[in-house]
Amino acid sequence: MNRFKLFVSAILMLAVQGAFAQTAPPLKLVTKYEIPPSVKGRFDHLGLDTAGTRLFVVAEEGGQVLVFDLATGKIVQTIKVPHPHAVLVRDDINRIFITDEDKGAVNIYDAKTYAMVKAVPLKVDTDSIGYDPATHYLYVDNGGDNAHEEFTMLSVVDTTAGTKLADIKIDGDTLEAMALERMGDRLFLNNPAKNEVEVIDRKTNKLITSWPLKMSKDNATMAFDESTHRLFVGCRPGQIVVFDSQAGKELQTLAIGRGTDDLMFDPASKRIYATSGGAGVINVYKETDPDHYQSLGQVPSGPGGKTGLLAPQLSRLFVPVPGKAPAASAVYVYQLQ
């Protein structure tokens, strides 16, 4: 083969490799962690210990939190909770914090023995959480419609002392996920009852302002790129609304699957991951700059796979998917590509 033909062949090979790279999915399903058939119903938010050795999966309708050993993919413990929603693990003080809707409390457990240490009483429908690693304060939404009230509380729990510090009263009977500034004092909170994003000052525990949500509705989840001042608000009809967090204005929407309940942002790769249970898919976008977002594709998970946990340090994304006969429930484990 002459030099010209070799050159053409090399160019064609590079073109094929480039096309493949552009179309390669952003996630690869590498395994599934088995969940016993006795665990029925939906799953909610997940937790991970800082060493990355244990995954905590909330079986909200099954009344338990499943603890997986990531080295084996096997369940090593179940923590019985009447109606759990979210998990925080603090390895530095050997404690696990789990919200319990039925009891209306944050339950605190020993992270080694899994024995319950105490409960911090709140209102019924204790649900979503946000954590400030600088103060070790946990922000928890509770009350609202299930408490037969037209307002909801955002409570502040000191996880070191295991005590409630404050209640912030928010108009509207439903609150959802939140995001916290690391370089500032603001907390952004989804208020789907009023189709707003609430902005709270964490120093004063006061509501500063409310941003109307006009580009979509039913805002359920949230992620934040503080470096570009972009707040990503996941909405269940199937959109991410991108806000300018300095101006408090909607900028654009990104299409995702229906029924999202977790939105995750990786600052290193600038990727956004949206798990959507209604569609049974994961949408992945890359933030190329503050005003431009490239879709990297839509990866199938399964119907009801509404929540997820991104672990960039492990190059993994975990999505619990409820079983539908003949398939059993499982945690889908994806490798980040």
Side-chain angles (χ1 to χ4, degrees):
M1 186 180 291
N2 62 36
R3 290 183 179 180
F4 177 75
K5 288 183 178 180
L6 284 171
F7 175 77
V8 171
S9 178
I11 292 296
L12 289 173
M13 183 173 294
L14 287 172
V16 170
Q17 289 173 345
F20 177 79
Q22 289 177 357
T23 59
L27 297 167
K28 179 183 178 182
L29 181 65
V30 290
T31 191
K32 296 180 182 179
Y33 295 163
E34 294 181 3
I35 294 176
S38 59
V39 181
K40 306 290 186 182
R42 297 177 300 174
F43 298 92
D44 216 346
H45 304 290
L46 299 86
L48 187 74
D49 62 24
T50 54
T53 61
R54 290 176 298 175
L55 179 72
F56 297 76
V57 177
V58 170
E60 65 170 300
E61 292 182 337
Q64 55 194 300
V65 174
L66 310 174
V67 185
F68 286 86
D69 181 338
L70 292 182
T72 64
K74 304 297 183 183
I75 295 174
V76 294
Q77 183 71 33
T78 59
I79 305 172
K80 298 292 185 181
V81 183
H83 198 149
H85 277 294
V87 182
L88 168 73
V89 184
R90 276 194 64 186
D91 285 343
D92 59 325
I93 60 169
N94 190 40
R95 291 291 181 264
I96 303 164
F97 301 82
I98 302 173
T99 56
D100 182 358
E101 175 182 326
D102 287 359
K103 185 189 292 182
V106 175
N107 296 337
I108 305 175
Y109 301 84
D110 185 292
K112 292 182 179 178
T113 67
Y114 303 101
M116 187 166 172
V117 177
K118 67 181 293 188
V120 180
L122 302 176
K123 290 178 175 286
V124 297
D125 205 9
T126 299
D127 194 346
S128 297
I129 62 174
Y131 180 61
D132 182 349
T135 61
H136 300 300
Y137 291 170
L138 187 68
Y139 295 83
V140 189
D141 68 57
N142 58 105
D145 55 352
N146 285 355
H148 309 292
E149 295 168 337
E150 295 182 354
F151 62 89
T152 311
M153 290 296 187
L154 180 68
S155 298
V156 187
V157 174
D158 183 337
T159 59
T160 302
T163 57
K164 184 176 75 171
L165 298 178
D167 285 321
I168 305 166
K169 186 177 179 180
I170 309 291
D171 288 338
D173 63 6
T174 305
L175 297 177
E176 290 288 350
M178 63 200 83
L180 284 70
E181 287 182 325
R182 294 290 181 255
M183 303 302 293
D185 299 313
R186 293 183 300 172
L187 179 148
F188 308 104
L189 176 65
N190 274 322
N191 187 343
K194 300 188 72 176
N195 233 50
E196 293 177 346
V197 172
E198 312 293 1
V199 184
I200 292 163
D201 186 321
R202 303 200 314 273
K203 276 193 172 180
T204 63
N205 290 329
K206 301 291 185 183
L207 179 67
I208 304 170
T209 189
S210 300
W211 297 339
L213 184 71
K214 297 178 180 178
M215 290 184 171
S216 190
K217 61 182 180 179
D218 202 6
N219 43 321
T221 187
M222 191 176 281
F224 187 37
D225 181 0
E226 192 164 3
S227 68
T228 61
H229 309 290
R230 293 296 180 260
L231 182 70
F232 309 112
V233 178
C235 300
R236 287 187 172 132
Q239 299 86 25
I240 298 172
V241 179
V242 183
F243 273 83
D244 181 330
S245 67
Q246 290 180 307
K249 295 184 182 298
E250 295 169 298
L251 301 176
Q252 61 178 299
T253 63
L254 308 174
I256 58 173
R258 294 175 293 102
T260 185
D261 213 32
D262 262 327
L263 200 61
M264 297 148 279
F265 177 73
D266 178 16
S269 66
K270 293 289 185 178
R271 289 187 177 188
I272 309 164
Y273 300 83
T275 50
S276 302
V281 297
I282 307 160
N283 285 90
V284 186
Y285 282 88
K286 182 177 178 64
E287 181 186 25
T288 56
D289 66 49
D291 296 313
H292 296 90
Y293 299 85
Q294 175 192 0
S295 173
L296 299 183
Q298 187 180 81
V299 177
S301 55
K306 64 188 181 77
T307 59
L309 185 142
L310 180 67
Q313 71 275 32
L314 303 176
S315 192
R316 292 290 185 269
L317 175 68
F318 302 95
V319 179
V321 177
K324 188 174 182 180
S329 298
V331 179
Y332 289 32
V333 183
Y334 296 88
Q335 179 177 316
L336 309 185
Q337 299 283 83

